[in-house]
Amino acid sequence: MKFGDYLRQAREKNGWTQPEAAAKASIEQSYLSKLETGKSYPSEDIFGRLVAAYKLDTKDMAASIFSAELDKLREISEVRAVVLARQKSEARYMRSWLVAGLAMLMLGGGMLGLAFATGEPEMYKYHYRSEGIIFEGEPPLVFQFLEAGIPDKNNTPITERIDYDFQVHTSDRGDVYIEPVEGGFRRYTRHHIEPYSAPTLITWHYSLGFMLMIGGLGCFYISRRWR
């Protein structure tokens, strides 16, 4: 707000008319009217009278009125001291945001640089299939023989022997591997390799790096707006 508005509100808060307030401050009513309408600004002597009469708090006034209005009162030593103290506080506050922003940008840039330099590792899923249980005494390729029309020792058709089982691994177990089961074993053959992506440490570097970069830019924006 303007200094005149602040002065008028202080007078009205005390319940005084302009003549009453002017008398208490030992100034002319016409001059007080000019102060309240912003047509004039007080000297150091007049300001001291107003502070004494209205019991004004200079710090509260400095925090309530516009900076441009404070500039018009800078010749008053009491106001100038408050303004300088506030400017120092604002400078410290702005520096803290700048330092925080710089630190976040440096850390975020480092994390992104590490992520880009390292790159995402190639990851795959290995799909294996078993046609069925191979009983004790049967050859490992019994299902290939059955598909070729060669019967097993019991002349069981392949349609009755088929019992598919599928397994997926994130590590390569080779083209073929054997696993024992009740009554025999299963022969698993790799039939498909599927690339996939999963959150890794490098993935978190990307996420945190971008977050820190945005946070750092936000700190610079706040410090600029504050200034």
Side-chain angles (χ1 to χ4, degrees):
M1 73 174 66
K2 294 184 176 181
F3 172 73
D5 294 330
Y6 182 84
L7 198 62
R8 176 179 52 78
Q9 289 182 9
R11 173 176 63 78
E12 291 175 349
K13 185 177 180 180
N14 285 309
W16 300 335
T17 62
Q18 269 194 359
E20 290 173 337
K24 291 180 181 295
S26 301
I27 58 176
E28 295 291 332
Q29 179 188 348
S30 59
Y31 183 56
L32 178 60
S33 178
K34 289 181 179 180
L35 292 176
E36 290 188 0
T37 56
K39 295 179 180 178
S40 183
Y41 289 86
S43 63
E44 187 159 0
D45 175 59
I46 298 299
F47 183 79
R49 297 184 196 180
L50 291 170
V51 169
Y54 286 56
K55 292 182 171 50
L56 297 178
D57 185 336
T58 308
K59 291 183 179 180
D60 176 71
M61 183 196 72
S64 300
I65 67 176
F66 300 136
S67 297
E69 293 288 288
L70 283 176
D71 288 338
K72 297 175 182 178
L73 300 170
R74 287 179 67 92
E75 297 303 318
I76 301 172
S77 58
E78 188 175 350
V79 176
R80 186 166 59 251
V82 172
V83 170
L84 289 175
R86 190 171 75 172
Q87 288 177 343
K88 289 180 180 179
S89 176
E90 290 176 353
R92 287 194 298 270
Y93 184 79
M94 185 176 66
R95 280 197 298 271
S96 66
W97 279 105
L98 288 173
V99 170
L102 181 60
M104 292 175 76
L105 284 176
M106 291 177 65
L107 184 58
M111 295 184 73
L112 287 177
L114 177 62
F116 283 121
T118 305
E120 289 285 355
E122 293 185 345
M123 305 181 72
Y124 300 94
K125 290 181 179 179
Y126 299 87
H127 295 257
Y128 291 86
R129 181 182 66 187
S130 170
E131 289 84 357
I133 298 175
I134 301 171
F135 300 113
E136 294 290 344
E138 290 185 326
L141 299 179
V142 63
F143 283 94
Q144 283 80 347
F145 296 156
L146 289 171
E147 288 178 358
I150 302 173
D152 63 5
K153 61 183 180 180
N154 297 319
N155 290 320
T156 306
I158 189 171
T159 54
E160 295 183 12
R161 291 286 304 269
I162 289 294
D163 180 19
Y164 286 113
D165 184 57
F166 300 91
Q167 292 189 358
V168 180
H169 302 280
T170 55
S171 60
D172 188 0
R173 300 192 62 177
D175 294 333
V176 178
Y177 68 90
I178 301 294
E179 281 193 357
V181 296
E182 185 178 355
F185 61 91
R186 280 184 176 272
R187 182 176 182 268
Y188 289 90
T189 305
R190 187 177 64 201
H191 69 94
H192 179 58
I193 300 176
E194 174 191 6
Y196 79 103
S197 59
T200 63
L201 185 59
I202 295 300
T203 305
W204 290 115
H205 276 132
Y206 280 115
S207 302
L208 291 175
F210 279 118
M211 288 174 60
L212 288 169
M213 293 287 285
I214 293 172
L217 293 174
C219 288
F220 284 124
Y221 175 77
I222 291 173
S223 66
R224 184 177 179 83
R225 292 282 295 181
W226 182 267
R227 183 176 60 182

